[in-house]
């Protein structure tokens, strides 16, 4: 089955700096890669996703890149703010109706 | 829509007791997922349903765990008997029919503590 690895497990950045979180997946048939943000004590919520027919997607300060050949994808947050502090999870899925497999999560701390 | 609704939000019970967690998915969503979250194991998929039918229960830890979805608007996750290692946050999530984005919408979670 699918296996998703996520790095780093914790990341501290200064406010205004960029943060990058990387994930690799094992199943070359996976074609949907979402990122979820979970604030302390809250539920995970989707912040951005990418499908295998595109290499990059951007939404304001957040961008995701996908390298299908290498089977890895990354989340980029620019101009980080204290409210970006949270746990971020990447995930992968083969096709609609298959289960979504999550990475272990990255604790992001933005220091002001 | 009120989103995915889970109950109870918090449950404290003693080892050996039966625990039932409940979930109401978003109306119109035909996929329902049960996840368990712990510090050690992260977000683990326990089981998921499509149109009330269990599709994959390979994540259910052992026979003490069972899940049902008697209709499109209700699902339960039962642990009997409960053990301290079952302590975790249990999330229910739903997803709309195929053809849409495929986003998972999570409930607020049920925090279970087994003493």
């Amino acid at each position: 089955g699918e296996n998703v690895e996520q790095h780093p497990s914790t990341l501290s950045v200064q406010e205004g700096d960029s943060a990058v979180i990387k994930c690799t997946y094992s199943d070359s048939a996976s074609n949907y890669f979402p990122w979820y943000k979970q604030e302390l004590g809250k539920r995970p919520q989707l912040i951005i996703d990418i499908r295998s027919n595109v290499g990059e997607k951007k939404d304001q300060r957040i961008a995701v890149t996908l390298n299908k050949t290498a089977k890895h994808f990354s989340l980029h947050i620019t101009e980080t703010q204290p409210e970006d502090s949270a746990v971020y999870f990447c995930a992968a899925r083969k096709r609609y109706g298959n289960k979504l497999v999550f990475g272990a999560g990255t604790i992001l701390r933005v220091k002001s | 829509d009120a989103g995915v609704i889970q109950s109870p939000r918090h449950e404290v019970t003693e080892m050996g007791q039966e625990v039932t967690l409940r979930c109401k998915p978003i109306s119109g969503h035909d996929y329902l997922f049960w996840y368990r979250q712990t510090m050690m194991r992260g977000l683990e998929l326990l089981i998921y349903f499509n149109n009330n039918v269990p599709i994959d229960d390979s994540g259910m830890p052992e026979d003490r765990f069972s899940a049902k979805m008697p209709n499109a608007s209700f699902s339960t996750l039962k642990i009997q008997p409960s053990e301290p290692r079952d302590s975790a946050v249990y999330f229910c999530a739903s997803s709309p029919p195929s053809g849409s984005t495929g986003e998972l919408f999570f409930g607020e979670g049920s925090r279970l503590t087994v003493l």
Side-chain angles (χ1 to χ4, degrees), chain B:
Chain B
D1 199 314
V4 176
I5 299 173
Q6 291 186 246
S7 64
R9 291 293 312 280
H10 302 273
E11 174 92 4
V12 180
T13 190
E14 293 189 346
M15 183 173 63
Q17 295 299 305
E18 177 180 295
V19 174
T20 299
L21 308 178
R22 298 172 176 80
C23 176
K24 175 178 167 46
I26 293 173
S27 177
H29 285 192
D30 61 358
Y31 285 91
L32 184 140
F33 304 80
W34 283 100
Y35 281 88
R36 177 172 69 177
Q37 186 175 36
T38 61
M39 287 294 294
M40 292 298 295
R41 301 175 69 91
L43 270 168
E44 300 174 274
L45 177 65
L46 301 178
I47 185 172
Y48 77 98
F49 297 81
N50 178 223
N51 290 320
N52 314 337
V53 176
I55 302 301
D56 186 343
D57 65 354
S58 59
M60 295 287 262
E62 47 199 277
D63 291 346
R64 297 185 297 107
F65 285 69
S66 62
K68 293 182 180 179
M69 191 164 185
N71 57 63
S73 59
F74 184 65
S75 177
T76 60
L77 177 68
K78 186 176 292 188
I79 309 172
Q80 166 64 13
S82 58
E83 296 182 3
R85 59 192 168 118
D86 301 331
S87 298
V89 180
Y90 291 81
F91 285 102
C92 176
S94 69
S95 189
S98 67
S100 60
T101 63
E103 177 180 352
L104 285 187
F105 293 81
F106 284 85
E108 298 277 12
S110 293
R111 181 175 294 277
L112 173 64
T113 302
V114 184
L115 303 174

Side-chain angles (χ1 to χ4, degrees), chain A residues 5-54:
Chain A
E5 294 192 357
Q6 184 171 346
H7 300 280
S9 55
T10 60
L11 179 60
S12 285
V13 299
Q14 202 66 35
E15 182 178 0
D17 288 350
S18 295
V20 180
I21 303 170
K22 299 181 180 181
C23 289
T24 60
Y25 60 98
S26 60
D27 192 336
S28 57
S30 289
N31 62 10
Y32 175 66
F33 308 94
W35 287 87
Y36 283 77
K37 175 183 180 183
Q38 186 179 25
E39 297 177 354
L40 188 63
K42 301 288 183 64
R43 71 185 103 185
Q45 292 189 289
L46 180 73
I47 55 172
I48 194 168
D49 57 13
I50 191 168
R51 297 179 191 277
S52 60
N53 56 345
V54 297

Side-chain angles (χ1 to χ4, degrees), chain A residues 1-110:
Chain A
E2 176 64 276
N3 182 49
V4 178
E5 294 192 357
Q6 184 171 346
H7 300 280
S9 55
T10 60
L11 179 60
S12 285
V13 299
Q14 202 66 35
E15 182 178 0
D17 288 350
S18 295
V20 180
I21 303 170
K22 299 181 180 181
C23 289
T24 60
Y25 60 98
S26 60
D27 192 336
S28 57
S30 289
N31 62 10
Y32 175 66
F33 308 94
W35 287 87
Y36 283 77
K37 175 183 180 183
Q38 186 179 25
E39 297 177 354
L40 188 63
K42 301 288 183 64
R43 71 185 103 185
Q45 292 189 289
L46 180 73
I47 55 172
I48 194 168
D49 57 13
I50 191 168
R51 297 179 191 277
S52 60
N53 56 345
V54 297
E56 184 174 357
K57 184 176 178 181
K58 192 173 181 180
D59 183 3
Q60 300 182 345
R61 296 186 298 109
I62 295 173
V64 58
T65 58
L66 171 65
N67 183 327
K68 282 198 67 181
T69 303
K71 290 190 283 187
H72 68 69
F73 55 113
S74 301
L75 177 72
H76 305 253
I77 306 174
T78 59
E79 300 172 24
T80 53
Q81 301 168 3
E83 53 264 38
D84 294 329
S85 296
V87 181
Y88 291 81
F89 293 94
C90 62
R93 186 182 68 201
K94 272 196 283 193
R95 64 177 183 274
Y96 206 102
N98 271 40
K99 59 186 179 184
L100 197 59
V101 177
F102 284 88
T106 296
I107 300 172
L108 174 64
R109 294 192 184 93
V110 180

